[in-house]
mmCIF file of all heavy atoms in Angstrom:
data_model
loop_
_atom_site.group_PDB
_atom_site.id
_atom_site.type_symbol
_atom_site.label_atom_id
_atom_site.label_comp_id
_atom_site.label_asym_id
_atom_site.label_seq_id
_atom_site.Cartn_x
_atom_site.Cartn_y
_atom_site.Cartn_z
ATOM 1 N N VAL A 1 0.973 5.444 -17.334
ATOM 2 C CA VAL A 1 0.080 4.514 -18.087
ATOM 3 C C VAL A 1 -1.091 5.308 -18.649
ATOM 4 O O VAL A 1 -1.719 6.132 -17.961
ATOM 5 C CB VAL A 1 -0.489 3.459 -17.095
ATOM 6 C CG1 VAL A 1 -1.437 2.509 -17.829
ATOM 7 C CG2 VAL A 1 0.645 2.707 -16.477
ATOM 8 N N SER A 2 -1.382 5.079 -19.927
ATOM 9 C CA SER A 2 -2.486 5.860 -20.579
ATOM 10 C C SER A 2 -3.750 4.998 -20.716
ATOM 11 O O SER A 2 -4.812 5.564 -20.933
ATOM 12 C CB SER A 2 -2.021 6.404 -21.887
ATOM 13 O OG SER A 2 -1.684 5.310 -22.762
ATOM 14 N N ASP A 3 -3.621 3.686 -20.669
ATOM 15 C CA ASP A 3 -4.793 2.772 -20.857
ATOM 16 C C ASP A 3 -5.602 2.809 -19.563
ATOM 17 O O ASP A 3 -5.182 2.438 -18.461
ATOM 18 C CB ASP A 3 -4.275 1.365 -21.121
ATOM 19 C CG ASP A 3 -5.430 0.381 -21.388
ATOM 20 O OD1 ASP A 3 -6.559 0.772 -21.322
ATOM 21 O OD2 ASP A 3 -5.097 -0.797 -21.730
ATOM 22 N N PRO A 4 -6.936 3.188 -19.674
ATOM 23 C CA PRO A 4 -7.831 3.304 -18.481
ATOM 24 C C PRO A 4 -8.023 1.961 -17.867
ATOM 25 O O PRO A 4 -8.122 1.936 -16.591
ATOM 26 C CB PRO A 4 -9.151 3.866 -19.085
ATOM 27 C CG PRO A 4 -8.767 4.438 -20.402
ATOM 28 C CD PRO A 4 -7.616 3.721 -20.896
ATOM 29 N N GLU A 5 -8.112 0.881 -18.537
ATOM 30 C CA GLU A 5 -8.286 -0.427 -17.951
ATOM 31 C C GLU A 5 -7.059 -0.802 -17.117
ATOM 32 O O GLU A 5 -7.240 -1.353 -15.991
ATOM 33 C CB GLU A 5 -8.499 -1.475 -19.067
ATOM 34 C CG GLU A 5 -8.935 -2.845 -18.514
ATOM 35 C CD GLU A 5 -9.328 -3.773 -19.625
ATOM 36 O OE1 GLU A 5 -10.023 -3.414 -20.554
ATOM 37 O OE2 GLU A 5 -8.845 -4.929 -19.531
ATOM 38 N N VAL A 6 -5.866 -0.544 -17.600
ATOM 39 C CA VAL A 6 -4.696 -0.833 -16.814
ATOM 40 C C VAL A 6 -4.596 0.076 -15.586
ATOM 41 O O VAL A 6 -4.225 -0.342 -14.512
ATOM 42 C CB VAL A 6 -3.430 -0.650 -17.690
ATOM 43 C CG1 VAL A 6 -2.151 -0.778 -16.904
ATOM 44 C CG2 VAL A 6 -3.430 -1.635 -18.850
ATOM 45 N N LEU A 7 -5.083 1.319 -15.734
ATOM 46 C CA LEU A 7 -5.096 2.206 -14.566
ATOM 47 C C LEU A 7 -6.023 1.681 -13.472
ATOM 48 O O LEU A 7 -5.669 1.785 -12.300
ATOM 49 C CB LEU A 7 -5.566 3.596 -14.995
ATOM 50 C CG LEU A 7 -4.516 4.528 -15.520
ATOM 51 C CD1 LEU A 7 -5.087 5.789 -16.055
ATOM 52 C CD2 LEU A 7 -3.424 4.811 -14.482
ATOM 53 N N VAL A 8 -7.151 1.117 -13.871
ATOM 54 C CA VAL A 8 -8.064 0.507 -12.878
ATOM 55 C C VAL A 8 -7.396 -0.615 -12.131
ATOM 56 O O VAL A 8 -7.448 -0.739 -10.936
ATOM 57 C CB VAL A 8 -9.376 0.098 -13.529
ATOM 58 C CG1 VAL A 8 -10.233 -0.732 -12.605
ATOM 59 C CG2 VAL A 8 -10.164 1.302 -13.994
ATOM 60 N N ARG A 9 -6.726 -1.458 -12.916
ATOM 61 C CA ARG A 9 -6.029 -2.637 -12.272
ATOM 62 C C ARG A 9 -4.930 -2.139 -11.314
ATOM 63 O O ARG A 9 -4.724 -2.644 -10.276
ATOM 64 C CB ARG A 9 -5.495 -3.545 -13.332
ATOM 65 C CG ARG A 9 -6.564 -4.360 -14.069
ATOM 66 C CD ARG A 9 -5.908 -5.452 -14.920
ATOM 67 N NE ARG A 9 -6.953 -5.936 -15.812
ATOM 68 C CZ ARG A 9 -6.806 -6.106 -17.108
ATOM 69 N NH1 ARG A 9 -5.702 -5.695 -17.680
ATOM 70 N NH2 ARG A 9 -7.814 -6.591 -17.789
ATOM 71 N N LEU A 10 -4.147 -1.169 -11.839
ATOM 72 C CA LEU A 10 -3.058 -0.622 -11.007
ATOM 73 C C LEU A 10 -3.634 0.059 -9.744
ATOM 74 O O LEU A 10 -2.999 0.058 -8.690
ATOM 75 C CB LEU A 10 -2.235 0.313 -11.790
ATOM 76 C CG LEU A 10 -1.319 -0.308 -12.840
ATOM 77 C CD1 LEU A 10 -0.543 0.818 -13.616
ATOM 78 C CD2 LEU A 10 -0.307 -1.215 -12.199
ATOM 79 N N GLY A 11 -4.861 0.600 -9.908
ATOM 80 C CA GLY A 11 -5.464 1.217 -8.754
ATOM 81 C C GLY A 11 -5.774 0.192 -7.636
ATOM 82 O O GLY A 11 -5.586 0.438 -6.424
ATOM 83 N N MET A 12 -6.144 -1.010 -8.092
ATOM 84 C CA MET A 12 -6.383 -2.048 -7.091
ATOM 85 C C MET A 12 -5.092 -2.522 -6.481
ATOM 86 O O MET A 12 -4.974 -2.754 -5.232
ATOM 87 C CB MET A 12 -7.095 -3.273 -7.763
ATOM 88 C CG MET A 12 -8.592 -2.987 -8.082
ATOM 89 S SD MET A 12 -9.411 -4.473 -8.720
ATOM 90 C CE MET A 12 -8.767 -4.559 -10.374
ATOM 91 N N VAL A 13 -4.091 -2.677 -7.293
ATOM 92 C CA VAL A 13 -2.706 -2.991 -6.784
ATOM 93 C C VAL A 13 -2.268 -1.943 -5.801
ATOM 94 O O VAL A 13 -1.648 -2.251 -4.774
ATOM 95 C CB VAL A 13 -1.766 -3.221 -7.974
ATOM 96 C CG1 VAL A 13 -0.326 -3.345 -7.449
ATOM 97 C CG2 VAL A 13 -2.146 -4.421 -8.806
ATOM 98 N N LYS A 14 -2.498 -0.693 -6.196
ATOM 99 C CA LYS A 14 -2.142 0.403 -5.288
ATOM 100 C C LYS A 14 -2.816 0.302 -3.964
ATOM 101 O O LYS A 14 -2.171 0.540 -2.916
ATOM 102 C CB LYS A 14 -2.477 1.747 -6.035
ATOM 103 C CG LYS A 14 -2.100 2.950 -5.178
ATOM 104 C CD LYS A 14 -2.570 4.201 -5.903
ATOM 105 C CE LYS A 14 -4.003 4.501 -5.525
ATOM 106 N NZ LYS A 14 -4.423 5.802 -5.841
ATOM 107 N N GLY A 15 -4.068 -0.115 -3.939
ATOM 108 C CA GLY A 15 -4.795 -0.226 -2.686
ATOM 109 C C GLY A 15 -4.203 -1.353 -1.829
ATOM 110 O O GLY A 15 -4.006 -1.179 -0.612
ATOM 111 N N VAL A 16 -3.890 -2.457 -2.436
ATOM 112 C CA VAL A 16 -3.284 -3.566 -1.728
ATOM 113 C C VAL A 16 -1.916 -3.194 -1.198
ATOM 114 O O VAL A 16 -1.546 -3.432 -0.077
ATOM 115 C CB VAL A 16 -3.196 -4.824 -2.615
ATOM 116 C CG1 VAL A 16 -2.357 -5.950 -1.962
ATOM 117 C CG2 VAL A 16 -4.570 -5.374 -2.948
ATOM 118 N N GLY A 17 -1.157 -2.500 -2.044
ATOM 119 C CA GLY A 17 0.169 -1.988 -1.647
ATOM 120 C C GLY A 17 0.055 -1.038 -0.449
ATOM 121 O O GLY A 17 0.861 -1.076 0.473
ATOM 122 N N PHE A 18 -0.982 -0.151 -0.494
ATOM 123 C CA PHE A 18 -1.211 0.796 0.582
ATOM 124 C C PHE A 18 -1.394 0.046 1.900
ATOM 125 O O PHE A 18 -0.866 0.390 2.936
ATOM 126 C CB PHE A 18 -2.414 1.677 0.345
ATOM 127 C CG PHE A 18 -2.755 2.610 1.390
ATOM 128 C CD1 PHE A 18 -2.056 3.725 1.635
ATOM 129 C CD2 PHE A 18 -3.825 2.294 2.234
ATOM 130 C CE1 PHE A 18 -2.394 4.605 2.693
ATOM 131 C CE2 PHE A 18 -4.162 3.130 3.275
ATOM 132 C CZ PHE A 18 -3.455 4.259 3.479
ATOM 133 N N ILE A 19 -2.237 -0.998 1.889
ATOM 134 C CA ILE A 19 -2.478 -1.782 3.077
ATOM 135 C C ILE A 19 -1.214 -2.420 3.577
ATOM 136 O O ILE A 19 -0.916 -2.400 4.777
ATOM 137 C CB ILE A 19 -3.598 -2.854 2.808
ATOM 138 C CG1 ILE A 19 -4.924 -2.133 2.606
ATOM 139 C CG2 ILE A 19 -3.681 -3.857 3.967
ATOM 140 C CD1 ILE A 19 -6.025 -3.047 2.081
ATOM 141 N N GLY A 20 -0.417 -3.033 2.672
ATOM 142 C CA GLY A 20 0.784 -3.668 3.051
ATOM 143 C C GLY A 20 1.785 -2.689 3.618
ATOM 144 O O GLY A 20 2.442 -2.881 4.661
ATOM 145 N N VAL A 21 1.986 -1.565 2.933
ATOM 146 C CA VAL A 21 2.974 -0.606 3.354
ATOM 147 C C VAL A 21 2.567 0.043 4.708
ATOM 148 O O VAL A 21 3.420 0.173 5.650
ATOM 149 C CB VAL A 21 3.191 0.497 2.295
ATOM 150 C CG1 VAL A 21 3.980 1.686 2.821
ATOM 151 C CG2 VAL A 21 3.918 -0.103 1.029
ATOM 152 N N THR A 22 1.370 0.463 4.828
ATOM 153 C CA THR A 22 0.931 1.118 6.100
ATOM 154 C C THR A 22 0.869 0.138 7.217
ATOM 155 O O THR A 22 1.198 0.516 8.380
ATOM 156 C CB THR A 22 -0.392 1.897 5.899
ATOM 157 O OG1 THR A 22 -1.404 0.980 5.429
ATOM 158 C CG2 THR A 22 -0.256 3.077 4.951
ATOM 159 N N GLY A 23 0.437 -1.057 6.950
ATOM 160 C CA GLY A 23 0.502 -2.080 8.013
ATOM 161 C C GLY A 23 1.864 -2.321 8.519
ATOM 162 O O GLY A 23 2.105 -2.436 9.737
ATOM 163 N N THR A 24 2.861 -2.481 7.638
ATOM 164 C CA THR A 24 4.215 -2.658 7.988
ATOM 165 C C THR A 24 4.737 -1.419 8.757
ATOM 166 O O THR A 24 5.435 -1.595 9.823
ATOM 167 C CB THR A 24 5.086 -2.911 6.760
ATOM 168 O OG1 THR A 24 4.535 -4.058 6.097
ATOM 169 C CG2 THR A 24 6.480 -3.157 7.128
ATOM 170 N N PHE A 25 4.378 -0.283 8.264
ATOM 171 C CA PHE A 25 4.754 0.974 8.908
ATOM 172 C C PHE A 25 4.279 1.039 10.382
ATOM 173 O O PHE A 25 5.003 1.275 11.295
ATOM 174 C CB PHE A 25 4.234 2.128 8.087
ATOM 175 C CG PHE A 25 4.440 3.431 8.691
ATOM 176 C CD1 PHE A 25 5.654 4.145 8.664
ATOM 177 C CD2 PHE A 25 3.353 4.125 9.308
ATOM 178 C CE1 PHE A 25 5.831 5.396 9.179
ATOM 179 C CE2 PHE A 25 3.535 5.391 9.880
ATOM 180 C CZ PHE A 25 4.711 6.030 9.818
ATOM 181 N N LEU A 26 2.959 0.727 10.547
ATOM 182 C CA LEU A 26 2.405 0.756 11.880
ATOM 183 C C LEU A 26 3.077 -0.296 12.784
ATOM 184 O O LEU A 26 3.266 0.020 13.933
ATOM 185 C CB LEU A 26 0.938 0.468 11.797
ATOM 186 C CG LEU A 26 0.041 1.635 11.290
ATOM 187 C CD1 LEU A 26 -1.407 1.207 11.132
ATOM 188 C CD2 LEU A 26 0.099 2.819 12.255
ATOM 189 N N PHE A 27 3.349 -1.440 12.294
ATOM 190 C CA PHE A 27 3.981 -2.510 13.029
ATOM 191 C C PHE A 27 5.318 -1.935 13.594
ATOM 192 O O PHE A 27 5.597 -2.076 14.820
ATOM 193 C CB PHE A 27 4.254 -3.721 12.192
ATOM 194 C CG PHE A 27 5.146 -4.717 12.908
ATOM 195 C CD1 PHE A 27 4.681 -5.525 13.849
ATOM 196 C CD2 PHE A 27 6.501 -4.811 12.536
ATOM 197 C CE1 PHE A 27 5.516 -6.420 14.519
ATOM 198 C CE2 PHE A 27 7.320 -5.737 13.152
ATOM 199 C CZ PHE A 27 6.812 -6.542 14.202
ATOM 200 N N PHE A 28 6.185 -1.350 12.773
ATOM 201 C CA PHE A 28 7.485 -0.936 13.230
ATOM 202 C C PHE A 28 7.348 0.287 14.200
ATOM 203 O O PHE A 28 8.105 0.381 15.126
ATOM 204 C CB PHE A 28 8.375 -0.637 12.089
ATOM 205 C CG PHE A 28 8.929 -1.838 11.388
ATOM 206 C CD1 PHE A 28 8.502 -2.223 10.159
ATOM 207 C CD2 PHE A 28 9.821 -2.660 12.058
ATOM 208 C CE1 PHE A 28 9.004 -3.343 9.561
ATOM 209 C CE2 PHE A 28 10.290 -3.795 11.479
ATOM 210 C CZ PHE A 28 9.931 -4.157 10.232
ATOM 211 N N VAL A 29 6.419 1.195 13.917
ATOM 212 C CA VAL A 29 6.287 2.357 14.849
ATOM 213 C C VAL A 29 5.785 1.867 16.184
ATOM 214 O O VAL A 29 6.295 2.268 17.221
ATOM 215 C CB VAL A 29 5.285 3.366 14.205
ATOM 216 C CG1 VAL A 29 4.883 4.391 15.249
ATOM 217 C CG2 VAL A 29 5.916 4.060 12.963
ATOM 218 N N LEU A 30 4.724 0.987 16.213
ATOM 219 C CA LEU A 30 4.214 0.531 17.490
ATOM 220 C C LEU A 30 5.242 -0.308 18.210
ATOM 221 O O LEU A 30 5.367 -0.241 19.407
ATOM 222 C CB LEU A 30 2.912 -0.211 17.212
ATOM 223 C CG LEU A 30 1.757 0.678 16.761
ATOM 224 C CD1 LEU A 30 0.529 -0.160 16.423
ATOM 225 C CD2 LEU A 30 1.383 1.644 17.853
ATOM 226 N N ARG A 31 6.008 -1.132 17.487
ATOM 227 C CA ARG A 31 7.020 -1.949 18.180
ATOM 228 C C ARG A 31 8.049 -1.065 18.820
ATOM 229 O O ARG A 31 8.442 -1.330 19.976
ATOM 230 C CB ARG A 31 7.692 -2.844 17.124
ATOM 231 C CG ARG A 31 8.667 -3.831 17.714
ATOM 232 C CD ARG A 31 9.226 -4.771 16.747
ATOM 233 N NE ARG A 31 10.211 -4.000 15.943
ATOM 234 C CZ ARG A 31 11.076 -4.515 15.128
ATOM 235 N NH1 ARG A 31 11.116 -5.826 14.985
ATOM 236 N NH2 ARG A 31 11.931 -3.860 14.426
ATOM 237 N N ARG A 32 8.508 0.025 18.140
ATOM 238 C CA ARG A 32 9.470 0.936 18.749
ATOM 239 C C ARG A 32 8.859 1.553 20.018
ATOM 240 O O ARG A 32 9.538 1.637 21.031
ATOM 241 C CB ARG A 32 9.858 1.996 17.688
ATOM 242 C CG ARG A 32 10.923 2.898 18.250
ATOM 243 C CD ARG A 32 11.131 4.033 17.346
ATOM 244 N NE ARG A 32 9.941 4.978 17.508
ATOM 245 C CZ ARG A 32 9.562 5.757 16.544
ATOM 246 N NH1 ARG A 32 10.157 5.880 15.386
ATOM 247 N NH2 ARG A 32 8.482 6.550 16.781
ATOM 248 N N GLU A 33 7.649 1.980 19.936
ATOM 249 C CA GLU A 33 7.029 2.660 21.051
ATOM 250 C C GLU A 33 6.891 1.659 22.254
ATOM 251 O O GLU A 33 7.099 2.057 23.398
ATOM 252 C CB GLU A 33 5.676 3.218 20.664
ATOM 253 C CG GLU A 33 5.757 4.442 19.767
ATOM 254 C CD GLU A 33 6.463 5.615 20.339
ATOM 255 O OE1 GLU A 33 6.464 5.789 21.557
ATOM 256 O OE2 GLU A 33 7.053 6.427 19.533
#
C-alpha cells in the first residue's frame, strides 16, 4: 500500500490483529501446559 492514510488504518487493524493472534496463541500454549 502506498497511500499513507490507508497505511495508518491498516496499522490499527494490524494492532487489533496482533492482540487477537497473540491472545489466541497464549490461550493454546497455556492450555497445553
